[in-house]
Amino acid sequence: MTKSTYFKKKDTSLYTVGFYNIENLFDTYDDPRTLDDDFLPESEKRWTEERYEKKIFKIGTAISNIGYRNSGNSPVLVGLAEVENKKVIEDLVRSKHLVNKNYGIVHFDSPDERGIDVALIYQKAFFEVSSSESIHVEVANPDGEKDYTRDILKVSGFLNGEKIHVLVNHWPSRRDGADITEYKRVAAAEKNREVIDTIKNEDGEEAKVIVMGDFNDDPHDASLTHLAQADLYNPMLKLLTRRQGSLSYRGAWNLFDQILFSNSFHKYEKGTHSFSTVKIFDDDFLKIYRGRKKGTPFRTYTGRRYRGGYSDHFPVYVQLKLNE
């Protein structure tokens, strides 16, 4: 479904904040500093300029529609995971359905050995960045060897004049087993807690904080429980079911993509933003439409086989209401 088919009355006081793991958005050029060889024109995946441009168009289309049905506008903030560099984000925000939104970009290169980073794009008309930094996550294997993972992106700024802080994450994967690698994600949660505590020490207990990311864990797992504690609310706790999630693996749904926020977003005061809704953006155009995987994310690749879809994850989003 596209924006032209949405006829429901829009609530222009709603502002959408989204997160999207966009599945390996690499350019077609070799970066000798990273393991990007799979995403080159001569690789087995045959990652050509045509395929790259097709993905840019599709991801731009998806982002432009997140939350549009209710608010009549594309997201004011979108955290991104699995972007190779700033160039691919620049190409994305210049794509057909985003170019008129005037998105700004916050991005830093992280130490991930594949060269994939997190980023934040924001509509300049509604959000003004006051500061940003990349925060390293120290994770060591049982033998003491450093394990390189994505940094946390911290962005502070003003949404419609109200100060908020956004932390964008992409936590270590489960590739070697969920239980075996759990300590890595708990370490990432602990680092986020440190950052949140620092924010609260500087701005007070009522500081507004949004923590988003691909956490590679579900809402009830130990790492997310440790992250949330008493001062963060996870609105996604009830969204994961046997028939719904943000990604599907071996026939089962997971909800690794989540957005949490401080309890201060539950307060209703004039000139501030309060929590309104939370959703997985899983419109039909983002799904496989037939076969045994019908209804799951229409991804770009399955292994080395090109599918030509969007991503192996659905976007997730919350909507904030500006109280007048």
Side-chain angles (χ1 to χ4, degrees):
M1 188 178 291
T2 59
K3 286 183 283 193
S4 61
T5 62
Y6 295 157
F7 298 108
K8 184 179 178 181
K9 186 177 180 181
K10 317 300 188 225
D11 184 349
T12 56
S13 67
L14 290 177
Y15 293 87
T16 303
V17 176
F19 176 81
Y20 198 5
N21 180 326
I22 53 180
E23 190 195 353
N24 295 320
L25 184 58
F26 283 81
D27 61 27
T28 60
Y29 306 102
D30 183 26
D31 184 344
R33 302 167 298 176
T34 62
L35 303 177
D36 66 348
D37 292 353
D38 281 345
F39 290 92
L40 298 173
E42 64 272 18
S43 70
E44 287 187 48
K45 288 188 172 182
R46 298 186 179 278
W47 186 237
T48 62
E49 193 66 24
E50 180 181 358
R51 290 180 174 181
Y52 170 73
E53 290 176 359
K54 183 177 181 180
K55 183 172 176 92
I56 287 285
F57 176 83
K58 289 195 168 214
I59 295 297
T61 302
I63 289 174
S64 72
N65 279 285
I66 297 172
Y68 186 90
R69 182 178 301 172
N70 295 334
S71 69
N73 192 10
S74 300
V76 293
L77 298 168
V78 187
L80 302 173
E82 296 198 8
V83 295
E84 184 183 16
N85 49 43
K86 190 172 183 179
K87 175 193 176 298
V88 301
I89 313 168
E90 290 172 340
D91 290 344
L92 176 62
V93 300
R94 286 196 297 260
S95 63
K96 180 178 179 179
H97 294 110
L98 297 183
V99 64
N100 292 330
K101 299 297 181 180
N102 193 24
Y103 276 103
I105 297 169
V106 184
H107 166 267
F108 296 91
D109 289 317
S110 73
D112 180 83
E113 56 191 17
R114 290 182 57 226
I116 55 172
D117 309 322
V118 297
L120 184 77
I121 61 174
Y122 60 95
Q123 287 197 49
K124 296 177 184 177
F126 304 102
F127 186 75
E128 179 184 357
V129 174
S130 58
S131 66
S132 62
E133 61 179 309
S134 189
I135 299 169
H136 187 55
V137 180
E138 292 283 351
V139 179
N141 292 322
D143 59 5
E145 182 181 355
K146 282 188 177 181
D147 184 15
Y148 293 96
T149 189
R150 278 74 57 175
D151 290 349
I152 302 166
L153 175 61
K154 175 179 177 284
V155 181
S156 300
F158 295 88
L159 177 61
N160 297 310
E162 182 181 25
K163 188 173 185 181
I164 66 169
H165 307 271
V166 182
L167 307 182
V168 187
N169 291 260
H170 187 187
W171 289 2
S173 78
R174 296 181 165 201
R175 189 173 298 110
D176 296 326
D179 293 339
I180 294 173
T181 58
E182 181 183 65
Y183 73 93
K184 298 181 181 181
R185 293 182 294 280
V186 170
E190 289 174 348
K191 177 55 72 171
N192 276 268
R193 290 300 325 172
E194 290 178 20
V195 177
I196 294 167
D197 289 344
T198 299
I199 291 171
K200 290 167 67 176
N201 286 336
E202 294 175 351
D203 285 8
E205 289 295 320
E206 296 301 308
K208 288 198 163 176
V209 182
I210 298 173
V211 185
M212 62 173 66
D214 174 356
F215 298 108
N216 272 301
D217 269 336
D218 288 320
H220 292 285
D221 287 328
S223 62
L224 270 300
T225 302
H226 182 72
L227 173 63
Q229 297 187 18
D231 58 345
L232 281 187
Y233 176 67
N234 189 346
M236 317 200 77
L237 284 166
K238 297 180 180 180
L239 291 187
L240 177 62
T241 69
R242 289 190 300 171
R243 297 184 178 181
Q244 177 180 255
S246 62
L247 70 156
S248 177
Y249 180 66
R250 294 181 177 176
W253 285 102
N254 291 102
L255 186 54
F256 292 170
D257 308 276
Q258 299 168 57
I259 301 174
L260 300 82
F261 50 81
S262 54
N263 290 323
S264 48
F265 279 100
H266 287 304
K267 294 188 176 181
Y268 299 86
E269 297 177 359
K270 186 177 180 180
T272 69
H273 299 81
S274 57
F275 169 63
S276 178
T277 56
V278 59
K279 290 186 180 179
I280 301 166
F281 185 64
D282 58 357
D283 276 19
D284 287 345
F285 75 93
L286 294 173
K287 299 175 181 177
I288 295 173
Y289 65 91
R290 64 182 178 183
R292 64 185 181 88
K293 293 188 177 181
K294 181 180 178 180
T296 63
F298 181 24
R299 57 193 299 169
T300 308
Y301 280 92
T302 302
R304 297 187 181 278
R305 185 176 179 183
Y306 180 67
R307 300 291 186 180
Y310 294 77
S311 172
D312 54 350
H313 292 241
F314 291 135
V316 296
Y317 68 95
V318 297
Q319 288 185 312
L320 306 175
K321 189 174 185 66
L322 179 60
N323 302 304
E324 299 177 347

